[in-house]
Amino acid sequence: MEMVEVTARLCQRLGLPRSSGQIFGLLYLSTQALSLDEIAEALEISKASVSTGTRQLLGWHAIRQVWKPGDRKDYYEVQADLGELLRANYLGFFRPKLDASKRKLAVLQELLDADLKSGSLEATDYAVCKERLESLTRLQSRIQKLLPLAEKLL
Amino acid sequence: MEMVEVTARLCQRLGLPRSSGQIFGLLYLSTQALSLDEIAEALEISKASVSTGTRQLLGWHAIRQVWKPGDRKDYYEVQADLGELLRANYLGFFRPKLDASKRKLAVLQELLDADLKSGSLEATDYAVCKERLESLTRLQSRIQKLLPLAEKLL
DNA sequence: CAGTTCGTTCAATTTACACTGAACGAACTA
DNA sequence: TAGTTCGTTCAGTGTAAATTGAACGAACTG
């Protein structure tokens, strides 16, 4: 499968484990749900890697676990709606990070003010720093406004 | 500097070298341009790391190189307008990747059609795969439309 | 209860990569 | 020309992360 290679490369470019990308690529073009063993065999990687990989993908809501009646095996299939996938990850991952960064920026502003009052910072230097921090804050809030919009369009 | 720590963590979360983040954080709140040696000393890392780090940041247009008259040293300062930074990286990096992914998707569609004609794929399986690839293509073009808009808003 | 068949966990290995020190070339200086 | 002062390059080192095989526990089966 060509698709496996594409998603594998995408993942490792993003700093994520390559094997997770392989698994997703395989499942994305698979007609039926695959068991852990089938995935391991198809990709020629160990069962252990598949086990950890599937748990990661489950955490990102990228795949789902399904069961077949009278079969103890776990089967996996993709969450085919990628828009839904992006939404879920935005809410569960990016959103909290963005909120945290906003708080962090406020802390930095306070530290800067403290440095000015304690005399450890020249007034002109203070002005430059303050302007830059405010620029960052403006960018941060613009991003926070943009993402819900992007969420709608995807 | 607290800022150095923040940007360093941001970088390594993105799978980028931590030291590049440190350099950017240092320069972002520095009032004047700093030389390679000054950066190395302030961050307690080797000159070699600073040399490679600055070249990375230059490649992303995140910092600029400036010179002082009668001084052979290279000095570095941030590209303070982060909106401009994002724009430049979109045009020089994301945009080409997006175009490439579009072509890649077209290739995959062709491969799929070929598999159908060669009889190595059931018609029902073909339908599922085709639908999923088309879903990917739709997402791809939505992203390609969204990014120029985002570019304006940031 | 012994024997399978699952998935997970854990220690160990391998791999990938950031980082460093030392060597180097270029551009100046005396 | 010999000697500095820069920045870069490169081989070697250290370390964090991915991957694996083996051991394990749980859920079934005969």
Side-chain angles (χ1 to χ4, degrees):
Chain A
M1 292 276 199
E2 183 84 6
M3 181 73 181
V4 172
E5 196 51 38
V6 174
T7 51
R9 274 205 298 263
L10 176 62
C11 263
Q12 66 181 9
R13 176 122 354 200
L14 294 175
L16 303 173
R18 173 187 179 82
S19 59
S20 299
Q22 293 184 89
I23 297 170
F24 184 80
L26 178 65
L27 291 176
Y28 194 79
L29 288 190
S30 169
T31 314
Q32 68 248 18
L34 299 180
S35 73
L36 199 148
D37 291 307
E38 289 169 331
I39 297 172
E41 191 190 5
L43 299 177
E44 295 177 342
I45 59 181
S46 70
K47 269 201 335 175
S49 289
V50 179
S51 178
T52 61
T54 49
R55 254 182 311 115
Q56 272 195 68
L57 291 168
L58 283 173
W60 305 335
H61 304 96
I63 63 175
R64 260 195 308 261
Q65 213 166 3
V66 295
W67 291 274
K68 300 186 177 179
D71 190 338
R72 279 168 46 214
K73 283 182 182 154
D74 297 345
Y75 289 87
Y76 299 95
E77 65 182 15
V78 288
Q79 161 64 33
D81 183 348
L82 295 184
E84 185 60 34
L85 196 166
L86 290 177
R87 253 185 298 281
N89 280 311
Y90 166 65
L91 288 176
F93 185 74
F94 279 108
R95 187 97 215 255
K97 295 285 174 195
L98 274 180
D99 294 345
S101 76
K102 188 173 183 178
R103 285 194 298 276
K104 192 73 192 177
L105 277 172
V107 171
L108 284 176
Q109 304 249 17
E110 285 168 23
L111 282 176
L112 191 66
D113 286 344
D115 281 353
L116 176 67
K117 281 186 187 123
S118 76
S120 63
L121 199 64
E122 294 292 329
T124 60
D125 293 349
Y126 171 81
V128 173
C129 289
K130 187 169 180 72
E131 167 53 29
R132 293 202 178 150
L133 278 184
E134 281 171 356
S135 165
L136 255 189
T137 307
R138 283 195 297 273
L139 180 66
Q140 203 276 343
S141 65
R142 268 188 237 121
I143 291 175
Q144 231 169 15
K145 276 178 198 143
L146 173 65
L147 281 183
L149 174 63
E151 201 188 334
K152 296 246 189 283
L153 293 180
L154 293 179
Chain B
M1 293 277 200
E2 183 83 6
M3 182 74 181
V4 172
E5 195 52 37
V6 173
T7 50
R9 275 206 298 264
L10 175 63
C11 265
Q12 65 181 8
R13 175 106 18 183
L14 294 175
L16 306 173
R18 174 188 178 80
S19 59
S20 299
Q22 292 185 86
I23 296 171
F24 184 80
L26 178 66
L27 290 176
Y28 193 78
L29 288 190
S30 168
T31 314
Q32 67 248 19
L34 299 180
S35 73
L36 199 149
D37 291 307
E38 288 169 332
I39 297 172
E41 190 190 4
L43 299 176
E44 294 177 343
I45 60 180
S46 70
K47 271 202 332 177
S49 289
V50 178
S51 178
T52 60
T54 49
R55 252 182 313 112
Q56 272 195 67
L57 291 168
L58 283 172
W60 305 334
H61 304 96
I63 63 175
R64 261 195 307 260
Q65 213 166 3
V66 295
W67 292 273
K68 300 187 177 179
D71 190 338
R72 278 166 49 212
K73 282 182 184 156
D74 297 344
Y75 289 87
Y76 298 96
E77 65 181 13
V78 287
Q79 161 64 31
D81 184 349
L82 295 184
E84 184 59 35
L85 194 167
L86 290 177
R87 253 185 298 279
N89 279 311
Y90 165 66
L91 288 176
F93 185 74
F94 279 108
R95 188 105 210 245
K97 294 286 174 194
L98 274 179
D99 294 345
S101 76
K102 188 172 185 176
R103 285 194 298 275
K104 189 75 192 176
L105 277 171
V107 170
L108 285 176
Q109 304 249 18
E110 284 169 22
L111 283 175
L112 191 65
D113 286 345
D115 281 353
L116 175 67
K117 280 184 187 125
S118 76
S120 62
L121 198 63
E122 294 291 330
T124 60
D125 293 347
Y126 170 80
V128 173
C129 288
K130 186 168 181 71
E131 165 55 26
R132 292 203 178 150
L133 278 185
E134 281 172 354
S135 166
L136 255 189
T137 306
R138 282 194 297 273
L139 181 64
Q140 203 275 345
S141 65
R142 269 188 235 121
I143 291 176
Q144 232 170 14
K145 277 178 199 141
L146 172 65
L147 281 183
L149 175 64
E151 202 188 333
K152 296 244 189 285
L153 293 180
L154 292 180

